[in-house]
Amino acid sequence: MSNLMFDILFLGTGASIPSRKRSTSCLAVRQGRSISLFDCGEGSQRQLMMSQMSFMKIDRIFISHMHGDHILGLPGLLQTMGLSGRTKTVTVYGPNGLEHSLTDMLNACEGELKFEIQVIELKGGELFNFDEFTVSTFMTVHNVPSIGYVYREKDRPGTINKKKAEKLNLIPNEDFSRLKAGETVKGVSPEMVMGKPIKGCSMVYTGDTAPCDAVKKHANGVDLLIHEATYIEKDIELAKTYFHSTAKAAAEIALACNIGMLVLTHISNRYDDSEYSIAEAKAIFGNVIAPNDFQMLSVSRSNIRLV
Amino acid sequence: MSNLMFDILFLGTGASIPSRKRSTSCLAVRQGRSISLFDCGEGSQRQLMMSQMSFMKIDRIFISHMHGDHILGLPGLLQTMGLSGRTKTVTVYGPNGLEHSLTDMLNACEGELKFEIQVIELKGGELFNFDEFTVSTFMTVHNVPSIGYVYREKDRPGTINKKKAEKLNLIPNEDFSRLKAGETVKGVSPEMVMGKPIKGCSMVYTGDTAPCDAVKKHANGVDLLIHEATYIEKDIELAKTYFHSTAKAAAEIALACNIGMLVLTHISNRYDDSEYSIAEAKAIFGNVIAPNDFQMLSVSRSNIRLV
């Protein structure tokens, strides 16, 4: 079993219109051998090619909402997977209307895919269970139906004290795996020979949203909150009009939720760089970053750091 | 009136699957203040942003065929134009089915455009007349309906010998513009005071095609032939299977057509770079280039050169 940790690669950190510096929304989460993508703006396949992550290892794609800057990379990425010999199913999750949108985009181009695409439409409140983590969903507040995602690493059973266990006549592998599954073996309960469970890390990705209670509720206590911060306070009227957040609003939510680290993304191309966004947020919540495209966060219980 | 010349900016020179080095098909032709785009693969809007050409000056887009690597940049580019305040119509030309494809791609995303998109579907054989040039069309040979384009600068009237004309009592501006329009003024015919017409330059863009007679016919004598060269000869079986051309085949057509310069594009990502393509073509036709993304050709009667 791999170490309890995951990597988050920021592939597109811009809002609505890309810029020289920022591609449109996309982030990749790698856990073990499998990659989950969150949003897939135009150009995401090429951003992946320019990064260290293999687009062929993407098993699932979570779409926050159906604005072009979050979905227009889907048909190209899926076609490239097909042309590269993919046969394994890709599952795409997103709000109501996703199936229709994806079908439209794929039908617009000639050519057929030779692998299955499974589409799962969401209403918020779903929980999906994978080998090493779960993903749950909640509705956010935008001008179209929009979904936020909670990514939660599963806790890992504590380490078995091998000497102690062998003294109690337990056999490695055979008995140990039963203990790890929570069983009592030969009269020995897990607590008698195992350390405390190792707690997994958790992350919320808001997608596009106005500041909202749903994020506050679902991000409570998470290690990492990736919150959109399209605007800064001087443009708050735009944020209100278009149901987006300012960096300040994102920081206020981070503070209220008692999270570990705040990550600002979806930065409008009207700002030269993210220093204003960071400064505004930092005044409220200290542990904040706004990654550039291709920066990667390594997330483990002991450390969350840019690599 | 601007000088008789145009610029061709290569924005995407790769085939099917983009690579770190090459984006998918797109080239921009700038003549005076107006830009015509030929094909619009995914990421074209961002390639434009990274270049010296303004995406807001694009007035028309010519699509060669409906494979994803030639059209998936359309919805994003058009949406970005809209978000950037465009009100002027954009005309999109392409084979049968274009309207359906474009509608599908735009419908896939939430949000409406606030300018008109005029769609003109082509069968080959059309001629479009613009201020400074014409564009005519022909069917090529691919595994889906596909169109090649002939871009032809209009000839410009010769220069008026001012001294001679004034001696013959002709008044600058007033009489001169009538002479330039071909009229005889105060008994003076244009030939009596004007130099020879200045000949415009011409260019053919094939889009994707197997080597074909239609290109031979329509590229005959042009200054510039931009021919796809997806493969090189060692992969000729792939070229045949997928209705593409090798660099050698493109050069044979260039030779047969007595053109000025051959430009190879749509290079498969299986080749590290274009040196093999160039070498293969050069053995047959000397004046050949295979531009990288962001290289620009300046085209005038006296000179065609990379700038």
Side-chain angles (χ1 to χ4, degrees):
Chain A
M1 198 180 263
S2 59
N3 287 332
L4 203 55
M5 65 173 292
F6 55 94
D7 296 318
I8 303 176
L9 176 64
F10 295 90
L11 291 160
T13 60
S16 311
I17 300 179
S19 66
R20 285 172 171 242
K21 201 171 159 184
R22 298 183 193 274
S23 191
T24 48
S25 290
C26 184
L27 59 89
V29 178
R30 178 172 58 195
Q31 179 119 35
R33 287 189 195 160
S34 163
I35 295 175
S36 309
L37 213 62
F38 289 81
D39 282 330
C40 188
E42 181 181 353
S44 294
Q45 62 165 323
R46 198 155 177 240
Q47 295 290 95
L48 278 155
M49 287 169 189
M50 298 211 185
S51 78
Q52 304 301 321
M53 285 201 196
S54 164
F55 64 85
M56 291 298 269
K57 292 189 178 159
I58 295 169
D59 288 323
R60 59 199 76 79
I61 304 174
F62 299 97
I63 297 294
S64 64
H65 65 296
M66 244 73 81
H67 279 149
D69 59 322
H70 294 251
I71 60 167
L72 284 174
L74 278 173
L77 174 61
L78 295 169
Q79 287 196 334
T80 288
M81 284 175 168
L83 289 168
S84 306
R86 183 168 184 120
T87 52
K88 204 172 157 191
T89 299
V90 175
T91 309
V92 190
Y93 305 76
N96 260 339
L98 172 66
E99 178 136 31
H100 189 74
S101 282
L102 190 55
T103 305
D104 273 357
M105 286 190 285
L106 290 170
N107 282 349
C109 322
E110 301 270 1
E112 266 181 50
L113 295 178
K114 291 190 177 128
F115 62 96
E116 200 198 337
I117 299 173
Q118 184 187 15
V119 175
I120 299 183
E121 295 195 344
L122 309 170
K123 290 184 161 60
E126 293 88 355
L127 173 70
F128 300 98
N129 187 29
F130 304 102
D131 283 353
E132 301 183 81
F133 57 91
T134 61
V135 173
S136 57
T137 72
F138 58 94
M139 293 297 289
T140 58
V141 178
H142 199 38
N143 50 9
V144 296
S146 61
I147 301 279
Y149 294 96
V150 187
Y151 183 101
R152 203 175 282 280
E153 257 183 334
K154 292 181 181 173
D155 296 345
R156 190 78 54 87
T159 314
I160 293 178
N161 184 326
K162 211 179 157 191
K163 271 194 182 169
K164 205 169 167 184
E166 286 179 349
K167 268 189 193 161
L168 294 167
N169 296 321
L170 297 174
I171 301 159
N173 296 335
E174 198 179 314
D175 293 339
F176 284 18
S177 59
R178 290 175 61 197
L179 278 171
K180 282 191 173 173
E183 289 181 44
T184 294
V185 184
K186 298 175 185 168
V188 181
S189 70
E191 310 83 70
M192 291 168 68
V193 291
M194 282 174 72
K196 279 187 186 168
I198 303 158
K199 225 177 139 41
C201 288
S202 52
M203 178 271 279
V204 160
Y205 172 63
T206 64
D208 288 9
T209 185
C212 68
D213 288 341
V215 171
K216 270 189 200 160
K217 179 178 164 195
H218 292 277
N220 193 42
V222 297
D223 297 288
L224 206 65
L225 171 59
I226 303 175
H227 201 295
E228 76 120 294
T230 310
Y231 297 107
I232 55 179
E233 280 295 306
K234 78 175 175 66
D235 295 315
I236 187 148
E237 289 310 317
L238 289 173
K240 284 181 183 167
T241 305
Y242 298 111
F243 293 84
H244 282 299
S245 299
T246 64
K248 185 183 172 202
E252 284 167 349
I253 288 173
L255 187 67
C257 289
N258 191 29
I259 60 143
M261 179 189 271
L262 172 63
V263 180
L264 304 177
T265 191
H266 203 264
I267 310 288
S268 167
N269 71 349
R270 75 194 58 219
Y271 312 123
D272 276 351
D273 61 38
S274 55
E275 63 176 315
Y276 306 105
S277 314
I278 291 177
E280 189 172 289
K282 234 186 180 84
I284 292 161
F285 187 85
N287 193 13
V288 58
I289 60 170
N292 292 326
D293 287 9
F294 301 116
Q295 283 196 293
M296 190 161 87
L297 269 180
S298 171
V299 182
S300 70
R301 177 55 50 212
S302 57
N303 205 358
I304 301 179
R305 65 192 171 92
L306 282 169
V307 285
Chain B
M1 197 179 266
S2 59
N3 287 331
L4 203 54
M5 65 172 294
F6 55 93
D7 296 317
I8 303 176
L9 176 64
F10 295 90
L11 291 160
T13 59
S16 311
I17 300 179
S19 66
R20 285 172 170 240
K21 201 171 160 185
R22 298 184 193 273
S23 190
T24 48
S25 290
C26 184
L27 59 90
V29 178
R30 178 172 57 195
Q31 178 116 37
R33 288 189 194 160
S34 164
I35 294 174
S36 308
L37 213 62
F38 289 81
D39 282 328
C40 188
E42 181 182 354
S44 294
Q45 63 165 323
R46 197 151 179 242
Q47 294 290 94
L48 278 155
M49 287 169 189
M50 299 213 185
S51 80
Q52 303 302 321
M53 285 202 195
S54 164
F55 63 86
M56 290 298 268
K57 292 189 178 158
I58 295 169
D59 288 324
R60 60 199 75 80
I61 304 173
F62 298 97
I63 297 295
S64 65
H65 65 295
M66 243 73 82
H67 278 150
D69 57 322
H70 294 251
I71 60 167
L72 284 174
L74 277 173
L77 174 62
L78 295 168
Q79 287 197 333
T80 288
M81 285 175 167
L83 289 168
S84 306
R86 181 167 186 121
T87 53
K88 204 173 158 191
T89 299
V90 175
T91 309
V92 190
Y93 305 77
N96 259 338
L98 173 66
E99 178 136 31
H100 190 74
S101 283
L102 190 54
T103 306
D104 273 357
M105 286 189 286
L106 289 169
N107 282 349
C109 323
E110 302 270 1
E112 266 182 49
L113 296 179
K114 291 192 176 127
F115 62 96
E116 200 199 335
I117 299 173
Q118 186 188 13
V119 175
I120 299 184
E121 294 195 345
L122 310 171
K123 290 183 161 59
E126 293 88 354
L127 173 69
F128 300 98
N129 187 30
F130 304 102
D131 285 352
E132 302 183 82
F133 58 90
T134 61
V135 173
S136 57
T137 71
F138 58 94
M139 293 296 290
T140 58
V141 177
H142 198 40
N143 50 9
V144 298
S146 61
I147 300 280
Y149 294 96
V150 188
Y151 182 101
R152 204 175 282 279
E153 258 184 333
K154 291 181 181 174
D155 296 345
R156 190 79 55 85
T159 316
I160 293 177
N161 183 326
K162 212 177 156 192
K163 272 193 182 169
K164 204 168 164 184
E166 286 178 348
K167 269 191 194 163
L168 294 167
N169 296 320
L170 296 174
I171 302 158
N173 295 335
E174 198 179 314
D175 294 338
F176 284 18
S177 59
R178 290 176 60 199
L179 278 171
K180 283 191 175 173
E183 290 180 45
T184 293
V185 185
K186 300 173 184 169
V188 180
S189 70
E191 310 82 69
M192 292 168 68
V193 291
M194 281 173 73
K196 278 188 187 169
I198 303 158
K199 226 178 139 39
C201 288
S202 52
M203 177 272 279
V204 160
Y205 171 63
T206 64
D208 288 9
T209 185
C212 68
D213 288 341
V215 171
K216 271 190 198 159
K217 179 179 165 193
H218 292 276
N220 192 43
V222 297
D223 297 288
L224 206 65
L225 171 59
I226 303 175
H227 201 294
E228 77 121 294
T230 310
Y231 297 107
I232 55 179
E233 279 296 305
K234 77 175 176 67
D235 295 316
I236 187 148
E237 289 309 317
L238 289 173
K240 285 181 184 168
T241 305
Y242 297 110
F243 293 82
H244 282 300
S245 298
T246 63
K248 185 183 171 204
E252 284 168 348
I253 288 173
L255 186 68
C257 289
N258 191 31
I259 60 143
M261 180 190 269
L262 173 63
V263 180
L264 305 177
T265 191
H266 203 264
I267 311 287
S268 167
N269 71 349
R270 75 195 58 219
Y271 311 123
D272 275 352
D273 61 38
S274 55
E275 63 176 315
Y276 306 105
S277 315
I278 291 177
E280 189 171 290
K282 234 187 180 90
I284 292 162
F285 188 84
N287 194 13
V288 57
I289 59 170
N292 292 326
D293 287 10
F294 301 116
Q295 283 197 292
M296 190 160 87
L297 269 180
S298 171
V299 181
S300 70
R301 178 53 50 211
S302 57
N303 205 356
I304 302 178
R305 66 194 170 91
L306 282 170
V307 287

Coordinates of all heavy atoms in Angstrom, one line a residue, chain A residues 227-290:
Chain A
H227 N -10.5 27.3 -2.8 CA -11.7 28.2 -3.0 C -11.4 29.1 -4.2 O -10.3 29.7 -4.4 CB -11.9 29.0 -1.7 CG -13.3 29.5 -1.6 ND1 -13.8 30.5 -2.5 CD2 -14.3 29.3 -0.7 CE1 -15.1 30.7 -2.1 NE2 -15.4 30.0 -1.0
E228 N -12.4 29.3 -5.0 CA -12.3 30.3 -6.1 C -12.1 31.7 -5.5 O -12.7 32.0 -4.5 CB -13.5 30.2 -7.0 CG -14.8 30.8 -6.5 CD -15.3 32.0 -7.4 OE1 -14.5 33.0 -7.5 OE2 -16.4 31.8 -8.0
A229 N -11.3 32.5 -6.2 CA -11.2 33.9 -5.8 C -11.0 34.7 -7.1 O -9.9 35.2 -7.4 CB -10.0 34.0 -4.9
T230 N -12.1 34.7 -7.8 CA -12.0 35.4 -9.1 C -11.6 36.8 -9.0 O -10.8 37.3 -9.8 CB -13.4 35.3 -9.8 OG1 -13.9 33.9 -9.8 CG2 -13.4 35.8 -11.3
Y231 N -12.1 37.5 -8.0 CA -11.9 38.9 -7.8 C -11.2 39.3 -6.5 O -11.1 38.5 -5.6 CB -13.3 39.7 -7.9 CG -14.0 39.5 -9.2 CD1 -15.1 38.6 -9.3 CD2 -13.6 40.1 -10.3 CE1 -15.8 38.5 -10.5 CE2 -14.2 40.0 -11.5 CZ -15.3 39.2 -11.6 OH -16.0 39.0 -12.8
I232 N -10.9 40.6 -6.4 CA -10.5 41.1 -5.1 C -11.5 42.2 -4.7 O -12.4 42.5 -5.5 CB -9.0 41.7 -5.2 CG1 -8.9 42.8 -6.3 CG2 -8.0 40.6 -5.3 CD1 -7.5 43.4 -6.4
E233 N -11.4 42.7 -3.5 CA -12.5 43.5 -2.9 C -12.9 44.7 -3.8 O -14.1 45.1 -3.8 CB -12.2 43.9 -1.5 CG -12.4 42.8 -0.5 CD -13.9 42.5 -0.4 OE1 -14.7 43.3 -0.1 OE2 -14.2 41.3 -0.5
K234 N -11.9 45.3 -4.5 CA -12.3 46.5 -5.2 C -13.3 46.2 -6.3 O -14.0 47.1 -6.8 CB -11.0 47.2 -5.7 CG -10.4 46.6 -7.0 CD -9.2 47.5 -7.4 CE -8.5 46.9 -8.6 NZ -9.2 46.8 -9.8
D235 N -13.4 45.0 -6.7 CA -14.3 44.5 -7.8 C -15.5 43.7 -7.2 O -16.0 42.9 -7.9 CB -13.6 43.7 -8.8 CG -12.6 44.6 -9.6 OD1 -12.9 45.7 -9.9 OD2 -11.4 44.1 -9.8
I236 N -15.8 44.0 -5.9 CA -16.8 43.2 -5.3 C -18.2 43.2 -6.0 O -18.9 42.2 -6.0 CB -17.0 43.5 -3.8 CG1 -17.9 42.5 -3.1 CG2 -17.5 45.0 -3.6 CD1 -17.6 42.2 -1.7
E237 N -18.5 44.4 -6.7 CA -19.7 44.4 -7.4 C -19.8 43.4 -8.5 O -20.8 42.8 -8.8 CB -20.0 45.8 -7.9 CG -20.3 46.8 -6.8 CD -21.4 46.4 -5.8 OE1 -22.4 45.8 -6.3 OE2 -21.2 46.5 -4.6
L238 N -18.7 43.2 -9.2 CA -18.6 42.2 -10.2 C -18.8 40.8 -9.6 O -19.5 40.0 -10.2 CB -17.2 42.3 -11.0 CG -17.0 43.5 -11.9 CD1 -15.6 43.5 -12.4 CD2 -18.0 43.4 -13.1
A239 N -18.1 40.6 -8.5 CA -18.3 39.3 -7.8 C -19.7 39.0 -7.5 O -20.2 37.9 -7.7 CB -17.4 39.3 -6.5
K240 N -20.4 40.0 -7.0 CA -21.9 39.9 -6.7 C -22.7 39.6 -7.9 O -23.5 38.7 -8.0 CB -22.4 41.1 -6.0 CG -22.0 41.2 -4.5 CD -22.5 42.4 -3.8 CE -22.0 42.6 -2.4 NZ -22.3 43.9 -1.8
T241 N -22.4 40.4 -9.0 CA -23.2 40.2 -10.2 C -23.1 38.8 -10.8 O -24.0 38.3 -11.3 CB -22.7 41.3 -11.3 OG1 -22.8 42.6 -10.7 CG2 -23.6 41.2 -12.5
Y242 N -21.8 38.3 -10.8 CA -21.6 37.1 -11.5 C -21.5 35.9 -10.6 O -21.0 34.8 -11.0 CB -20.3 37.2 -12.4 CG -20.5 38.3 -13.4 CD1 -19.8 39.4 -13.4 CD2 -21.4 38.0 -14.5 CE1 -20.0 40.4 -14.4 CE2 -21.6 39.0 -15.5 CZ -20.9 40.2 -15.4 OH -21.1 41.1 -16.4
F243 N -21.9 36.0 -9.3 CA -21.9 34.9 -8.3 C -20.5 34.3 -8.2 O -20.3 33.1 -8.3 CB -22.9 33.9 -8.7 CG -24.3 34.3 -8.6 CD1 -24.9 35.0 -9.6 CD2 -25.1 34.1 -7.4 CE1 -26.2 35.5 -9.6 CE2 -26.4 34.6 -7.3 CZ -27.0 35.3 -8.4
H244 N -19.5 35.2 -8.0 CA -18.2 34.7 -7.7 C -17.7 35.2 -6.3 O -18.5 35.9 -5.7 CB -17.2 35.3 -8.8 CG -17.2 34.5 -10.1 ND1 -16.9 33.2 -10.2 CD2 -17.5 34.9 -11.4 CE1 -17.1 32.8 -11.4 NE2 -17.4 33.8 -12.2
S245 N -16.5 34.9 -5.9 CA -16.0 35.3 -4.6 C -14.8 36.2 -4.8 O -14.1 36.1 -5.8 CB -15.6 34.0 -3.8 OG -16.7 33.2 -3.6
T246 N -14.6 37.0 -3.8 CA -13.3 37.7 -3.7 C -12.3 36.9 -2.8 O -12.7 36.0 -2.1 CB -13.5 39.1 -3.0 OG1 -13.9 38.9 -1.7 CG2 -14.6 39.9 -3.8
A247 N -11.1 37.3 -2.9 CA -10.1 36.6 -2.0 C -10.4 36.8 -0.5 O -10.3 35.9 0.3 CB -8.7 37.2 -2.3
K248 N -10.9 38.0 -0.2 CA -11.3 38.3 1.2 C -12.4 37.3 1.7 O -12.3 36.8 2.7 CB -11.8 39.7 1.3 CG -12.0 40.2 2.8 CD -12.6 41.6 2.8 CE -13.1 41.9 4.2 NZ -14.0 43.0 4.2
A249 N -13.4 37.2 0.8 CA -14.5 36.3 1.2 C -14.1 34.9 1.4 O -14.5 34.2 2.3 CB -15.6 36.4 0.1
A250 N -13.2 34.4 0.5 CA -12.6 33.1 0.6 C -11.9 32.9 1.9 O -12.0 31.9 2.6 CB -11.7 32.8 -0.6
A251 N -11.1 34.0 2.3 CA -10.4 33.9 3.6 C -11.3 33.9 4.8 O -11.0 33.2 5.8 CB -9.4 35.1 3.6
E252 N -12.4 34.6 4.7 CA -13.3 34.6 5.8 C -13.9 33.2 6.0 O -14.1 32.8 7.2 CB -14.4 35.7 5.6 CG -13.9 37.1 5.8 CD -14.8 38.2 5.3 OE1 -15.8 37.9 4.5 OE2 -14.6 39.4 5.6
I253 N -14.2 32.6 4.9 CA -14.7 31.2 5.0 C -13.7 30.3 5.6 O -13.9 29.5 6.5 CB -15.2 30.7 3.7 CG1 -16.5 31.5 3.3 CG2 -15.5 29.2 3.6 CD1 -17.1 31.3 2.0
A254 N -12.4 30.4 5.1 CA -11.3 29.6 5.7 C -11.2 29.8 7.2 O -11.1 28.8 7.9 CB -10.0 30.0 5.0
L255 N -11.3 31.0 7.6 CA -11.2 31.3 9.1 C -12.4 30.7 9.8 O -12.2 30.0 10.9 CB -11.2 32.8 9.3 CG -10.9 33.3 10.7 CD1 -9.5 33.0 11.1 CD2 -11.2 34.8 10.8
A256 N -13.6 30.8 9.3 CA -14.7 30.3 10.0 C -14.7 28.8 10.0 O -15.3 28.2 11.0 CB -16.0 30.8 9.2
C257 N -14.0 28.2 9.1 CA -14.1 26.7 9.0 C -12.9 26.0 9.7 O -12.8 24.8 9.7 CB -14.0 26.3 7.5 SG -15.5 26.6 6.6
N258 N -12.0 26.8 10.2 CA -10.9 26.2 10.9 C -10.1 25.2 10.0 O -9.9 24.0 10.4 CB -11.4 25.6 12.2 CG -10.3 25.2 13.1 OD1 -9.2 25.8 13.1 ND2 -10.5 24.1 13.9
I259 N -9.8 25.6 8.8 CA -9.1 24.7 7.9 C -7.6 24.8 8.1 O -7.1 25.7 8.8 CB -9.5 25.0 6.5 CG1 -9.0 26.4 6.1 CG2 -10.9 24.8 6.2 CD1 -8.6 26.6 4.7
G260 N -6.8 23.9 7.4 CA -5.4 24.0 7.5 C -4.8 25.0 6.5 O -4.1 26.0 7.0
M261 N -5.0 24.9 5.2 CA -4.4 25.8 4.3 C -5.5 26.3 3.3 O -6.3 25.4 2.8 CB -3.3 25.1 3.5 CG -2.6 26.0 2.5 SD -1.5 25.1 1.4 CE 0.1 25.3 2.3
L262 N -5.4 27.5 2.9 CA -6.3 28.1 1.9 C -5.6 28.2 0.6 O -4.5 28.8 0.5 CB -6.9 29.4 2.4 CG -7.7 30.2 1.3 CD1 -9.0 29.5 1.0 CD2 -8.1 31.6 1.9
V263 N -6.2 27.7 -0.5 CA -5.6 27.8 -1.8 C -6.6 28.6 -2.7 O -7.7 28.2 -2.9 CB -5.4 26.4 -2.5 CG1 -4.8 26.6 -3.8 CG2 -4.5 25.6 -1.6
L264 N -6.1 29.8 -3.2 CA -6.9 30.6 -4.0 C -6.7 30.2 -5.5 O -5.5 30.0 -5.9 CB -6.6 32.1 -3.8 CG -6.7 32.6 -2.4 CD1 -6.3 34.1 -2.4 CD2 -8.1 32.4 -1.9
T265 N -7.8 30.1 -6.3 CA -7.6 29.8 -7.7 C -8.7 30.5 -8.5 O -9.5 31.2 -7.9 CB -7.6 28.3 -7.9 OG1 -7.2 28.0 -9.3 CG2 -8.9 27.6 -7.7
H266 N -8.7 30.3 -9.8 CA -9.7 30.9 -10.7 C -9.6 32.5 -10.6 O -10.5 33.2 -10.4 CB -11.2 30.5 -10.3 CG -12.2 30.6 -11.4 ND1 -13.0 31.8 -11.5 CD2 -12.5 29.9 -12.4 CE1 -13.8 31.6 -12.5 NE2 -13.5 30.5 -13.1
I267 N -8.3 32.9 -10.8 CA -8.0 34.3 -10.7 C -8.3 35.0 -12.0 O -7.8 34.6 -13.0 CB -6.5 34.5 -10.4 CG1 -6.0 33.5 -9.2 CG2 -6.1 35.9 -10.1 CD1 -6.5 33.9 -7.8
S268 N -9.0 36.1 -11.9 CA -9.4 36.9 -13.1 C -8.1 37.4 -13.8 O -7.2 37.9 -13.2 CB -10.3 38.1 -12.8 OG -10.4 39.0 -13.9
N269 N -8.2 37.4 -15.2 CA -7.0 37.9 -15.9 C -6.9 39.4 -15.9 O -5.9 40.0 -16.4 CB -7.1 37.4 -17.4 CG -8.2 38.1 -18.2 OD1 -9.0 38.8 -17.7 ND2 -8.1 37.9 -19.5
R270 N -7.8 40.1 -15.1 CA -7.6 41.6 -15.0 C -6.5 41.9 -14.0 O -6.1 43.1 -14.0 CB -9.0 42.2 -14.6 CG -9.4 42.0 -13.2 CD -10.8 42.4 -13.0 NE -11.6 41.6 -13.8 CZ -12.7 42.0 -14.5 NH1 -13.1 43.3 -14.4 NH2 -13.4 41.2 -15.3
Y271 N -6.1 41.0 -13.2 CA -5.0 41.2 -12.3 C -3.7 40.7 -12.8 O -3.6 39.6 -13.3 CB -5.3 40.6 -10.9 CG -6.7 40.9 -10.4 CD1 -7.6 39.8 -10.1 CD2 -7.2 42.2 -10.3 CE1 -8.9 40.1 -9.7 CE2 -8.5 42.4 -9.9 CZ -9.4 41.4 -9.6 OH -10.7 41.6 -9.2
D272 N -2.7 41.6 -12.8 CA -1.4 41.2 -13.3 C -0.9 39.9 -12.7 O -0.5 39.0 -13.4 CB -0.4 42.3 -13.0 CG -0.5 43.4 -14.1 OD1 -1.2 43.1 -15.1 OD2 0.2 44.4 -13.9
D273 N -1.0 39.8 -11.4 CA -0.6 38.5 -10.8 C -1.4 38.4 -9.5 O -2.3 39.2 -9.2 CB 0.9 38.4 -10.6 CG 1.4 39.5 -9.7 OD1 0.7 39.8 -8.7 OD2 2.5 39.9 -9.9
S274 N -1.1 37.4 -8.7 CA -2.0 37.1 -7.6 C -1.6 37.7 -6.3 O -2.1 37.5 -5.2 CB -2.0 35.5 -7.4 OG -0.7 35.1 -7.2
E275 N -0.6 38.7 -6.4 CA -0.1 39.3 -5.1 C -1.2 40.0 -4.3 O -1.3 40.0 -3.1 CB 1.1 40.2 -5.3 CG 0.8 41.3 -6.2 CD 2.1 42.3 -6.3 OE1 2.7 42.5 -5.3 OE2 2.3 42.7 -7.4
Y276 N -2.1 40.7 -5.1 CA -3.2 41.4 -4.4 C -4.2 40.4 -3.7 O -4.6 40.6 -2.6 CB -4.0 42.2 -5.4 CG -3.1 43.2 -6.2 CD1 -2.8 42.9 -7.5 CD2 -2.6 44.3 -5.6 CE1 -2.0 43.8 -8.2 CE2 -1.7 45.2 -6.3 CZ -1.4 44.9 -7.6 OH -0.6 45.7 -8.3
S277 N -4.5 39.3 -4.4 CA -5.4 38.3 -3.9 C -4.8 37.7 -2.6 O -5.5 37.6 -1.6 CB -5.6 37.2 -4.9 OG -5.9 37.7 -6.2
I278 N -3.5 37.4 -2.7 CA -2.9 36.8 -1.5 C -2.8 37.8 -0.3 O -3.2 37.5 0.8 CB -1.4 36.3 -1.8 CG1 -1.5 35.1 -2.8 CG2 -0.7 35.9 -0.6 CD1 -0.2 34.6 -3.3
A279 N -2.5 39.1 -0.6 CA -2.4 40.1 0.5 C -3.7 40.2 1.1 O -3.8 40.3 2.4 CB -1.9 41.4 -0.1
E280 N -4.8 40.3 0.3 CA -6.1 40.5 0.8 C -6.5 39.4 1.7 O -7.1 39.6 2.8 CB -7.1 40.6 -0.4 CG -8.5 41.1 0.0 CD -9.2 41.4 -1.3 OE1 -9.0 42.4 -2.0 OE2 -10.2 40.6 -1.6
A281 N -6.2 38.2 1.3 CA -6.6 37.0 2.1 C -5.8 36.9 3.3 O -6.3 36.5 4.4 CB -6.5 35.7 1.2
K282 N -4.5 37.1 3.2 CA -3.6 37.0 4.3 C -3.9 37.8 5.5 O -3.6 37.5 6.7 CB -2.1 37.3 3.9 CG -1.2 36.2 4.1 CD 0.3 36.6 3.8 CE 1.2 35.4 4.1 NZ 1.3 34.4 3.0
A283 N -4.5 39.0 5.3 CA -4.9 39.8 6.4 C -5.9 39.2 7.3 O -6.1 39.5 8.4 CB -5.5 41.1 5.8
I284 N -6.6 38.1 6.7 CA -7.7 37.4 7.5 C -7.2 36.0 7.9 O -7.5 35.6 9.0 CB -8.9 37.4 6.6 CG1 -9.5 38.8 6.5 CG2 -10.0 36.5 7.3 CD1 -10.5 39.0 5.3
F285 N -6.6 35.3 6.9 CA -6.2 33.9 7.2 C -4.8 33.7 6.7 O -4.5 33.9 5.5 CB -7.2 33.0 6.4 CG -7.0 31.6 6.7 CD1 -7.6 31.0 7.9 CD2 -6.2 30.8 5.9 CE1 -7.4 29.7 8.2 CE2 -6.0 29.4 6.2 CZ -6.6 28.9 7.4
G286 N -3.9 33.4 7.6 CA -2.5 33.5 7.3 C -1.9 32.5 6.3 O -1.1 32.8 5.5
N287 N -2.4 31.2 6.4 CA -1.8 30.1 5.6 C -2.5 30.1 4.2 O -3.4 29.2 4.0 CB -1.9 28.8 6.4 CG -1.0 27.8 5.7 OD1 -0.2 28.1 4.9 ND2 -1.2 26.5 6.1
V288 N -2.1 30.9 3.3 CA -2.8 31.0 2.0 C -1.8 31.1 0.9 O -0.7 31.7 1.0 CB -3.7 32.3 2.0 CG1 -2.9 33.5 2.3 CG2 -4.4 32.4 0.7
I289 N -2.1 30.4 -0.2 CA -1.3 30.4 -1.4 C -2.2 30.6 -2.6 O -3.4 30.4 -2.5 CB -0.4 29.2 -1.6 CG1 -1.3 27.9 -1.7 CG2 0.6 29.0 -0.5 CD1 -0.6 26.7 -2.2
A290 N -1.7 31.1 -3.7 CA -2.4 31.2 -5.0 C -1.5 30.6 -6.0 O -0.7 31.4 -6.6 CB -2.8 32.6 -5.3

